[in-house]
Amino acid sequence: MRWHALATLTLLQWATATPSSPSEGLLKKDGVSLGSWQEAYAKASSFVSKLNNSQKLSLITGNNVNNTGGTFEALTFEDGSQGVEYYYYVSAFSQASALAMTWDKDAFYAQAKAVATEHYLKGVHIVNGPTSQPLGRTVWSGRLGETFSPDPYLNGIAFGVSVKAYTDTGVVAGGKHFLLNEQETNRLSASTGGSGGSTSSAAPYSSNADDKALHELYLWPFYDAVKNGMGAVMCAMNEVNNTLSCENSELLLKRLKTELGYPGMVYPDVDAQSTAKGSAINGLDYGSSRIWSDSAVNELLSNGTLTQARLNDMAIRNLMGYYYVHLDNGTHPSVADRDAFVDVRANHSRLIRANGGKSVILLKNTDNALPLKRPHTMSVFGSHARAAIAGPNVEFTVQGSGPTYNGHLATGTGSGEGSMSYLIDPHAALTRKASEDGTMIRWILNDTYSSSATGLPSGIGDAGTFISASYSAYAEYSDVCLVFLNALAGEGADRTELYNDDQDTMVSTVASSCNNTVVIINTVGARLVDQWIENENVTAVLYSSLLGQESGNSIVDILYGDTNPSGRLTYTLAKNESDYPVGICETKQCNFTEGVYIDYRYFDAYNITPRYPFGHGLSYTTFSYSSLSVSSSTLSFLSTYPTGSLSVGGYTDLWDTVTTISATITNTGSVSGAEVAQLYLTYPSSAKQPIKQLRGFERIDLSPGEQKTVSFSLRRRDISYWDVAAQKWAVARGTYIVRVGTSSRDLKLVGSFVV
Ligand SMILES: *[C@@H]1O[C@H](CO)[C@@H](O)[C@H](O)[C@H]1NC(C)=O
Ligand SMILES: *[C@@H]1O[C@H](CO)[C@@H](O)[C@H](O)[C@H]1NC(C)=O
Ligand SMILES: *[C@@H]1O[C@H](CO)[C@@H](O)[C@H](O)[C@H]1NC(C)=O
Ligand SMILES: *[C@@H]1O[C@H](CO)[C@@H](O)[C@H](O)[C@H]1NC(C)=O
Ligand SMILES: *[C@@H]1O[C@H](CO)[C@@H](O)[C@H](O)[C@H]1NC(C)=O
Ligand SMILES: *[C@@H]1O[C@H](CO)[C@@H](O)[C@H](O)[C@H]1NC(C)=O
Ligand SMILES: *[C@@H]1O[C@H](CO)[C@@H](O)[C@H](O)[C@H]1NC(C)=O
Ligand SMILES: *[C@@H]1O[C@H](CO)[C@@H](O)[C@H](O)[C@H]1NC(C)=O
Ligand SMILES: *[C@@H]1O[C@H](CO)[C@@H](O)[C@H](O)[C@H]1NC(C)=O
Ligand SMILES: *[C@@H]1O[C@H](CO)[C@@H](O)[C@H](O)[C@H]1NC(C)=O
Ligand SMILES: *[C@@H]1O[C@H](CO)[C@@H](O)[C@H](O)[C@H]1NC(C)=O
């Protein structure tokens, strides 16, 4: 669907000066104000001005360009944000979904910086990441392990900070997936549906979201990424409104390149480019030489379908990120062989361990069951406690496997897969701790062990009686029982379950004999706990995503209190899978009829009680909240729509701070810990927004008795909604309510301001 006929007028109003041909989304000196990208534009334009069309074609199809000055090597792209994929001597970091659970902007930055440094030193130019989406329209989506959160604000902050770290390090951030790539099912081709004889369509599913949901949920985090220096965007495999993402002028030209002022290149996910013409004229900048052959492109040029200006623009956009991050400065090494001993890991293992600990969420802790205090006897259950039979540096693939992993699950699959040079599993880390503490450990590292199996070790129970190896016998004679669970899905396949019968039976069996059962879960997405959460013998639950190569150490640091848990849920954990609003779409047409009502926005609107709300997480200490204050409680000066210039990241004044909220947090317990203070905003009813939305969070460390003031800066965009008629972000008139607290359903302080 072309858009320019209907949108030209709007664009003329938007641009600071009139772009001569807005429909092509061209970068121009007099178009979107380029700000700090000005120098990159000058260098890229100058380079491209010396190329003939066949050299430009080489550039945009990923081939070397021979130039009078020598050869310009083709840009190298590599997965991913959890570390350099398919390389030796690199680090395997935690998944984005785990990192987001830290709610720690410094941790986001530090990890992204370390990841980017490893890519840089291996000779990578463009990282296929960070990965903002799938956002999480449906909890069943297979790739949510790779992404931050279904809350667009949290997702956007993590996405933007990560992009900034990549940029600061000198690699180009290739943010993905653009856009509405919310599930794996039918991503290559969809059944056209209809009752009876359904036929298969060669095209993937079409995500049909309305303009409001598009802006307020899915496009939102891309604003943060563009603002922070993203130089490449990966368009997705799916269609949007029945047009492929990579050929979709509404998405690429109107939204990304104009509304967001995006100055970089758009490149396709695997096989996501379909036609030479459709992709070239609708906004794709980098593609396949099979599709953009010399003859195909020359024909488009000669019959006037493709303008010379647009071809130049494609070439320039390919180089914008390259120059912006200074990859031309002579320091960047040439690309390393995958198995060469180019060791880029430095001390990243320490960061991975620390961030892993910060990612662990304490969901439940009855009578301070945790932290552990030198138990005499411990039993450990479940195959997730130990390393898999082979590894660690092997390729995972979920297609045809899952829904659980037979081994310790510490990295993702497909493009979410870390390359591990080693793996610390929980059993190894517990063993080391036991050797220090004098603890005796028994273990059955199997989810379906039956005591009728022979040849397994027996033991001594109370009063010298002999016991055979079984969940219940081991459990009964233990001061603490640790049960390890996981859930696996990833690129290419969606979730098939949100809980697992074998693993849940293991928990219940252990708990029936052990009054101090601690459950540890690492999961790619929501993993329900209602099968046993109210069992009084389940005294504590730790919950996180996949933690990377130091996973066992991170978990043990939490179990023993060397790290005080501060992780928070980045999505809602329901009591029942039927409580979630959206399933996997099985038809060609996927209508996003839920609009913006996903995750807690839905649970709030329909008054559904979750098991654990968005933002929930306990600590080994306690915190109190006091003294909420609002810096400006009357914002009478604010115009409804932004009035700044259209720049990289949209209108400049969308980013202005309009008011600041502060609150005082006190550590009222006896150990040091970190609190994640969260701010939720309720709009005036005229804005037709969800009941409350996250618009600020700060993680702060506090020693016992210590008090700190946290402040949350609300930007114009944070108090705006998408005005569909005006096609602009609008500030509503009326009273905004702000609440600050420790989760989306535990809000301690309230205040307000008036626009
Ligand atoms: C483009 O320039 C290159 C390098 O100077 C040259 O080898 C090639 O023949 C030129 N191609 C065309 C079509 O002019
Ligand atoms: C570029 O030059 C090298 C030699 O310097 C040559 O081997 C290669 O074929 C040339 N590539 C193109 C696309 O002209
Ligand atoms: C080139 O850029 C990288 C990454 O920003 C930086 O580390 C390096 O110091 C720069 N080199 C020079 C010579 O400026
Ligand atoms: C898709 O269609 C809906 C309904 O017409 C419209 O609101 C939305 O803006 C369209 N989105 C895109 C990206 O074309
Ligand atoms: C130009 O050529 C392309 C590719 O063959 C074709 O799709 C398109 O319709 C042509 N346009 C015109 C105006 O002839
Ligand atoms: C890693 O080393 C760098 C200096 O090379 C230091 O600044 C940083 O604090 C260290 N990080 C950790 C987690 O030890
Ligand atoms: C788990 O134990 C059962 C016997 O109780 C056995 O059949 C199964 O193969 C074991 N699984 C693994 C992964 O070892
Ligand atoms: C809890 O554990 C005790 C043994 O310590 C057992 O007697 C009791 O039945 C268990 N309760 C449940 C609900 O499993
Ligand atoms: C758990 O059971 C043990 C005996 O097996 C008992 O000593 C202990 O007090 C019980 N703990 C709780 C919290 O009930
Ligand atoms: C979830 O809800 C379904 C249907 O309402 C019900 O059959 C099922 O037992 C519930 N599951 C749990 C774990 O409560
Ligand atoms: C999606 O929406 C379109 C347009 O409103 C409608 O024609 C179609 O039946 C819907 N498809 C499904 C699967 O609900």
Side-chain angles (χ1 to χ4, degrees), residues 346-352 354:
N347 62 357
H348 296 159
S349 61
R350 282 192 257 166
L351 180 71
I352 294 168

Side-chain angles (χ1 to χ4, degrees), residues 367-428:
D367 296 334
N368 299 318
L370 294 181
L372 299 177
K373 299 149 199 90
R374 294 174 171 260
H376 294 169
T377 49
M378 167 188 286
S379 11
V380 180
F381 302 97
S383 64
H384 179 56
R386 52 130 171 107
I389 196 82
N393 203 332
V394 291
E395 185 182 356
F396 279 112
T397 172
V398 294
Q399 301 189 41
S401 74
T404 59
Y405 180 63
N406 184 16
H408 188 60
L409 185 63
T411 192
T413 71
S415 334
E417 185 187 321
S419 302
M420 296 207 183
S421 43
Y422 64 81
L423 169 63
I424 310 281
D425 66 54
H427 188 235

Side-chain angles (χ1 to χ4, degrees), residues 50-55 66-68 294 298:
K50 300 186 187 81
L51 305 182
N52 62 31
N53 280 351
S54 88
Q55 291 168 310
N66 287 348
N67 208 6
T68 45
D294 270 296
N298 282 331

